[in-house]
Amino acid sequence: MTDNELRTLVSSYKPSPKILLAMANIQVLGVVGPSASGKTTIMKTLVAKSPSVKFILDETSRAPRPGEVGGVDFLFRTKEEILEDLKNGELVQVALGPNGDLYCTRLSSYPSDTAGVIAFVPAAVKEFRQLPIKSFQAAFIVPYNFKAWQQWLAKQAKAGSWSEEKLQSRLAEAKESYEFAMADKDIHFVLNDNIERAGKRLAQIAAGETPADEQKAKHAANINYSKLLQLLDRKI
C-alpha cells in the first residue's frame, strides 16, 4: 500500500453503524502537544488526582519508546492488525501520525461511566469533533519556556538514542502542533510550569472550566513557536 493510499483509507474511515450507536455516552478529553512537552506525565497526574477521569488506552503501530509499557501507555499493534479493524469498521477513530504511524481506539478502551483522557495527534482532534459522542474537550500542553522544552527534548532523544533525522522529525511535528493549536478556536491551552499545577489545569478543562493561567500559556506558546521557527531556519 502506498502512502497516498494509506492516507486516503484513513481519511475516509467511517465506524460501523454498531460502533456509532454505542458512542452516545463517550466523554473525551484529548491532549495535544509537542514531544517532551509533558503530556503523559500530566495526564497521569490528572488521573491519579481525579477519580472522575480515566485513561483511554490508545493503540499505535509505532514501536514503544523507552520507558513505555504495552497495555499501560499504549496498546502496541502491527499496522496490518489496525488496518484489518479499519476495513471492518471496528475502530472508533483512526489517525495517521506525522511519521506514517497509525493511532486508533476501539470502543472497549473507553470508560463507560466517566470521562476519559487520551494523548492525540492534531488530526485526531478534528476527527473526534465529528463523532456522535456525548462530549469532547481538547487541551494543548505548553512548556513554560523554549529552553526548558529543548532540555526535555534532548533528554528524551538521548534516552531513545534518536538519530538526527528523528530529532528533526520531532521538531517538524512540534511546528505542526503549535500551528494547529494557535489556529484552533476551541482548544484550551495548559501551561506546564509544574506538573502538579498543570494537572490541576487539565482537571479544570475536564470539568468544563477554563484552565488557570490560560492567557499566560497562550503567550508562552507564541514565544515558543517563534523560537522554534528560528531553530528550524538555522537547521535548513
Side-chain angles (χ1 to χ4, degrees), residues 7 32-35 39 95-101 103 120-126 140-141 149 167-184 187 189 221 224-226 228-229 232:
R7 278 192 290 270
V32 182
S35 293
K39 297 187 296 295
L96 193 62
N99 296 316
D101 299 307
Y103 292 84
F120 272 161
V121 293
V125 174
K126 299 176 183 178
F140 182 71
I141 305 300
W149 174 60
L167 177 58
Q168 293 310 306
S169 73
R170 290 289 186 268
L171 293 174
E173 178 185 339
K175 177 178 177 290
E176 292 178 6
S177 293
Y178 273 104
E179 290 173 346
F180 167 78
M182 292 189 295
D184 193 291
I187 200 166
F189 286 70
N224 289 351
Y225 176 65
S226 177
L228 176 59
L229 291 181
L232 290 171

Side-chain angles (χ1 to χ4, degrees), residues 2-38:
T2 66
D3 290 344
N4 284 337
E5 288 173 336
L6 180 60
R7 278 192 290 270
T8 299
L9 190 62
V10 169
S11 64
S12 62
Y13 175 72
K14 301 292 182 185
S16 70
K18 177 183 177 182
I19 298 298
L20 284 170
L21 185 64
M23 289 182 190
N25 292 320
I26 289 177
Q27 303 174 65
V28 177
L29 171 58
V31 180
V32 182
S35 293
S37 60

Side-chain angles (χ1 to χ4, degrees), residues 66-77:
E68 288 182 336
V69 178
V72 176
D73 298 294
F74 281 91
L75 289 175
F76 295 100
R77 305 175 68 206

